[in-house]
Amino acid sequence: MTTPVPRRFAAIAGLVSGALAVAIGMLLAAITEVVSPIDAVGSEVVDRAPRRVKELAIRWFETDDKLALRIGIISILAVAAVGVGVLAARRVWLGMAGIGLFGLVGALSAAHRPGESAGAALPSILGAVVGAIVLSRLVQPRPIEVPGPSKAPLGWDRRRFLVASGVAAAGAAAAGGVARALEGQRVSEIRQATRVPLPDTVIAEEMPDISPGAELFDETPFLTPNDQFYRIDTALSFPGIDLDLWSFEIAGMVDTPMRFTYADLLAMPQVERVVTLCCVSNEVGGKYIGNAVWRGVMLRDLLERTGVNPAAEQVYSTSLDGWTCGFPVAAAFDGRDAMIAIGMNGETLPLEHGYPARLVVPGLYGYVSATKWLSKIELTGWDREGYWVPRGWSADGPIKTQSRIDVPRTATVTTGKQAIAGVAWAQFRGIERVEVQIDEGPWQQATLAADVSDDTWRQWLLEWDPSPGLYLLKVRATDKSGETQTADQTPVAPDGATGYHMIRVKVV
Ligand SMILES: Nc1nc2c(c(=O)[nH]1)N[C@H]1C(S)=C(S)[C@@H](COP(=O)(O)O)O[C@H]1N2
Ligand SMILES: [Mo]
């Protein structure tokens, strides 16, 4: 008779075979360049998570929520793998079925991802098959061949188990390592391509005039450097991009559907515009906002070529990774500089920000307009809903007039002449006035930096010479339509937070 595998070791067997299944799945996915099983499941979780959970995740983890999600998935898998191992020690087939179930979830998730075909299911399936076989071998004690006359099975062999699971664990580590290296190589190849500078073809009179007076203080530069620009998207890994194969189409309610390659974009009149991009999930006083010089082709120029059916209501765009959004057709023609951007702050559009091309529409929150990794633009009715709309966000996403205090940066400052300063924005309308209130004092008008464009934030500054004490500072902005931002505090959902940014400062 054989003795059963001790529980502790059954747990190890589960962990090791689970890790091997995942690692082989990742490796095969990396080799065949399909979505990795973990990322596929992660993306399905992101897509299916209730809005509140997603909002909380963004708030808790800020832009590191992706790492947190991965760690979450791996922790759940690890706990499940332990359970699967313990089950397998009782009934092997139950353990194998357990691994198979996880493989199935990975396979279905991968095949369901936008841009993936049924073949994307294979890595998960093959990983699960290998994992299940290894698990069955590890937990089924086999008779030990003992040299000598007796062939009697001696039961579970701890040494043999440890060697076998050590080999399996090493295999998992190796497969996982190679998978990560391949993925890293894929991303760095794309990054390499983004380092190719764009040709010098921007029309001179279309260059932005960044006036010397745009900066009143240093803490928040007027232009946000690319590596400090906030990043918000649902992508767990970057979509595959081969510039030679990449193109996007403009279709739907147009006269002539057309496809544009990167070379087509480069051959068209290039412009540069300074536009402040802002996320609807930006809390009052938050950091999900940045200002950059965007270079590209005006959307209206492209739409003039395809022609637009007068019945079209929405410019609906889709990314390479299947994310979607839409904004009113009017926003392409009402004079605002909606563009297909291929450059950012003098560089080729970085991968994080949508290489090779993205939409930038002044005055609209990113979630309705700013599709990165652009793949398709369709002219549609409002029956098509962008990614966030069925998730409880407004179909219409004009940016609200807002202001933020950036200086003082610390909760405690020393007495003496200093500044209260920050930024204010009301893209497409422009900032007219910014006022600061200290405690319950009068609203004092702040000095405004040079007005570069209605589509950018404006720095503001108020001189301050406080005596020691505790102060409450508030700011409010008025846009050029004469509208002062509301003091009413509303949450970010469904269409952007409102209320005054306030900070408490102790002066010592
Ligand atoms: N493909 C894709 N594009 C996207 C998103 C996304 O999730 N996927 N998020 C949008 C949102 S909500 C915002 S606020 C902006 C942010 O752009 P950034 O990451 O370059 O700052 O991108 C938009 N474009
Ligand atoms: Mo956003």
Side-chain angles (χ1 to χ4, degrees), residues 58 230 232-233 278-282 288 323 365-368 388:
I58 290 182
Y230 79 97
I232 297 272
D233 53 60
C278 178
C279 184
V280 70
S281 297
N282 194 35
Y288 299 152
W323 186 84
Y365 286 120
Y367 84 104
V368 290
W388 287 109

Side-chain angles (χ1 to χ4, degrees), residues 135-355:
L135 178 66
S136 73
R137 289 293 163 90
L138 285 177
V139 296
Q140 270 179 321
R142 276 180 300 153
I144 302 164
E145 312 276 327
V146 220
S150 166
K151 288 270 185 198
L154 296 183
W156 184 70
D157 183 336
R158 176 198 182 109
R159 204 177 59 104
R160 187 148 121 184
F161 173 88
L162 288 178
V163 169
S165 40
V167 169
V178 174
R180 287 200 59 141
L182 284 175
E183 170 67 10
Q185 193 186 332
R186 183 183 75 87
V187 170
S188 75
E189 270 165 23
I190 307 175
R191 273 195 213 289
Q192 213 53 47
T194 71
R195 284 192 197 110
V196 177
L198 294 168
D200 197 8
T201 52
V202 178
I203 313 162
E205 58 268 29
E206 298 285 4
M207 301 280 269
D209 171 26
I210 299 174
S211 331
E215 227 149 49
L216 294 173
F217 67 99
D218 301 329
E219 280 81 353
T220 308
F222 176 66
L223 290 178
T224 314
N226 289 357
D227 59 359
Q228 286 165 36
F229 206 96
Y230 79 97
R231 174 185 169 194
I232 297 272
D233 53 60
T234 59
L236 283 180
S237 48
F238 296 113
I241 298 148
D242 181 343
L243 206 53
D244 297 328
L245 300 177
W246 177 83
S247 67
F248 70 97
E249 64 170 334
I250 301 186
M253 299 163 81
V254 294
D255 304 331
T256 326
M258 290 177 87
R259 254 188 190 285
F260 298 91
T261 64
Y262 201 67
D264 293 334
L265 289 178
L266 285 176
M268 292 188 70
Q270 303 275 305
V271 300
E272 280 191 324
R273 289 290 183 271
V274 201
V275 178
T276 300
L277 204 68
C278 178
C279 184
V280 70
S281 297
N282 194 35
E283 303 279 351
V284 172
K287 292 181 296 223
Y288 299 152
I289 178 165
N291 185 40
V293 179
W294 304 97
R295 166 191 169 161
V297 172
M298 285 296 161
L299 178 61
R300 56 175 172 267
D301 290 350
L302 296 170
L303 292 180
E304 258 154 37
R305 291 202 185 179
T306 62
V308 174
N309 182 325
E313 295 166 321
Q314 187 180 200
V315 177
Y316 185 85
S317 54
T318 305
S319 70
L320 291 171
D321 59 330
W323 186 84
T324 56
C325 74
F327 56 87
V329 171
F333 296 106
D334 63 2
R336 77 183 79 203
D337 295 325
M339 67 196 285
I340 311 284
I342 57 171
M344 180 177 182
N345 287 330
E347 288 170 25
T348 302
L349 192 63
L351 187 52
E352 284 76 4
H353 298 290
Y355 175 84

